[in-house]
Amino acid sequence: MIPGPVEFDPEVMRALGAKTASHVAPEFITVFGRALKRLREVCLAPSAQPFVVSGSGTLAMELAVANLVEPGERALVVNTGYFSDRMALLLTRYGAEVTQVRCAPGEAPDVAAVESALAGGRFKVMTVTHVDTSTGVLAPVEPLVRAAGRHGVLSVVDGVCATAGETFHQDAWGADVYLTASQKAIGVPPGLALLTVSPRAMAAWRARKTPVRSLYADLGEWLPIMEAYEAGRPSYFATPAVNLVCALDVSLGQILREGMEARFTRHRRMAKAFRAAWRALGLKTLPVSESVTAHTLSALYYPEGVDAGVIARVREQGVVLAGGLHPELKTRYFRVGHMNVVGPGDVLASVGAVERALVAAGHRSEPGVAVAAAQAELLRAG
């Protein structure tokens, strides 16, 4: 129950463990092409160009930055935590002049403050982390993306801890790049960087005055490959992660069979059950309000008198949690992932393990109160 890698469906794992085909075999070309089409559907981005590249979520971030920003151009980072800091670092490495709209850990920057910065900044791009894995903060992505559009600024949304779990409508909202990785709510083991890029962002890339500095991150190398596979033709730049792409195709198919709105609703329902349990235990969340709290993970302060040893106590009961990540707070909180295939049974098992571990660590609560609260919420939502 960490915020990635998550639990994976057995059918996805069977695809990962199947005999590896040639990357130019007709059967693989069909699978890859179908996965690209499905990625558009999952991101609700029918007009976008999808990219599936071997690498981590950080590579997905770098693909966006490397192709949209040239040295000396200005970028605005809406900063909600650790991975917003990483985006700022990437932009700086590629020569951008970076301005950040910051807030305290657990908060999200005010949309009006971001719009004010956009109005006076002459920015090329604005970046925002949909859900920051370090803090569990859910940014107000829709109004931020729409604000960027009003000011003619390209919007790049980091959806690594959000895609296929948090509500997102790329085309309808006007987001230019939605990037993610395979190992979270997309439901595939680590190793794939995924992007859907709008026609406006592709036009901006084509209008570059300087070459992309990284060969591997250059969309110019990858675009012919993506176009060829989607058209059913073999092509080559670098060998794809064949089995991971096959697993991706299976998982995207499962996601679409569930339906995007149904999937978003399920993630909200599981999150509400977890939150009811945390309230019953008297645990304080790192996000400062419900409106900025993610549905894909919980970030929770340790109660007084309890430290990180509680994570080991939970693990002894068969549930794996994550410690803190934000550098200012990492020893003060822990994280519980709840995305992809998580259902009511996972909620109750995890909550029970946390409750028992906290009691063993000296935290005082009424026996069974957290499980009862989660169960009541699940029954109400169901």
Side-chain angles (χ1 to χ4, degrees), residues 23-376:
H23 59 287
V24 293
E27 60 271 23
F28 178 67
I29 293 170
T30 298
V31 168
F32 203 159
R34 185 171 58 220
L36 291 167
K37 293 181 177 74
R38 285 174 167 174
L39 183 59
R40 272 197 203 92
E41 295 181 62
V42 165
C43 295
L44 298 169
S47 72
Q49 172 60 53
F51 291 88
V52 175
V53 179
S54 302
S56 70
T58 300
L59 175 65
M61 296 166 70
E62 185 155 0
L63 282 158
V65 167
N67 287 278
L68 293 185
V69 174
E70 297 185 69
E73 292 182 327
R74 302 196 67 201
L76 180 67
V77 174
V78 181
N79 195 309
T80 55
Y82 183 93
F83 290 97
S84 300
D85 289 340
R86 178 169 294 183
M87 185 67 85
L89 176 61
L90 273 166
L91 285 159
T92 302
R93 288 280 184 96
Y94 278 90
E97 296 179 11
V98 178
T99 298
Q100 300 193 55
V101 179
R102 289 184 169 274
C103 57
E107 297 179 357
D110 181 67
V111 174
V114 175
E115 179 130 31
S116 177
L118 287 166
R122 294 180 299 163
F123 295 104
K124 172 77 171 292
V125 301
M126 178 199 77
T127 70
V128 57
T129 309
H130 195 171
V131 170
D132 196 289
T133 316
S134 73
T135 59
V137 166
L138 173 68
V141 167
E142 182 181 1
L144 290 172
V145 163
R146 291 189 185 279
R150 285 194 295 273
H151 293 280
V153 176
L154 296 169
S155 55
V156 174
V157 180
D158 173 355
V160 170
C161 199
T163 308
E166 299 283 359
T167 300
F168 190 81
H169 297 258
Q170 184 170 352
D171 272 23
W173 296 355
D176 290 297
V177 177
Y178 197 38
L179 65 92
T180 191
S182 54
Q183 75 274 10
K184 297 183 188 281
I186 288 289
V188 178
L192 293 177
L194 314 170
L195 301 91
T196 42
V197 184
S198 75
R200 190 167 76 126
M202 293 299 295
W205 163 69
R206 291 188 175 95
R208 289 179 62 93
K209 297 180 177 63
T210 60
V212 174
R213 292 183 176 185
S214 167
L215 178 68
Y216 191 73
D218 186 353
L219 294 185
E221 302 294 342
W222 291 110
L223 181 59
I225 312 305
M226 302 300 125
E227 291 177 331
Y229 276 115
E230 196 166 356
R233 302 190 311 270
S235 191
Y236 174 76
F237 166 57
T239 305
V242 172
N243 287 53
L244 279 171
V245 172
C246 293
L248 175 68
D249 178 56
V250 170
S251 187
L252 293 177
Q254 293 175 340
I255 290 168
L256 292 170
R257 283 193 295 275
E258 181 177 10
M260 297 313 301
E261 295 306 322
R263 190 174 178 87
F264 298 149
T265 298
R266 175 170 59 81
H267 278 78
R268 288 194 296 270
R269 181 182 171 221
M270 297 307 113
K272 286 181 180 179
F274 273 112
R275 288 176 199 168
W278 308 145
R279 287 193 297 269
L281 285 170
L283 299 181
K284 180 184 176 185
T285 62
L286 197 157
V288 297
S289 68
E290 285 277 329
S291 64
V292 297
T293 302
H295 303 99
T296 51
L297 81 154
S298 298
L300 303 154
Y301 287 106
Y302 296 114
E304 187 176 354
V306 176
D307 60 20
V310 76
I311 294 176
R313 292 179 186 272
V314 175
R315 189 185 185 102
E316 289 170 0
Q317 299 176 64
V319 177
V320 182
L321 308 181
L325 181 60
H326 193 286
E328 294 178 31
L329 303 167
K330 64 186 304 180
T331 61
R332 295 176 53 196
Y333 75 105
F334 66 102
R335 295 171 296 151
V336 183
H338 32 86
M339 63 191 101
N340 190 37
V341 295
V342 171
D346 303 295
V347 174
L348 297 176
S350 301
V351 165
V354 170
E355 184 172 13
R356 291 188 297 274
L358 287 173
V359 169
H363 181 61
R364 304 185 77 143
S365 65
E366 181 184 340
V369 66
V371 173
Q375 182 73 289

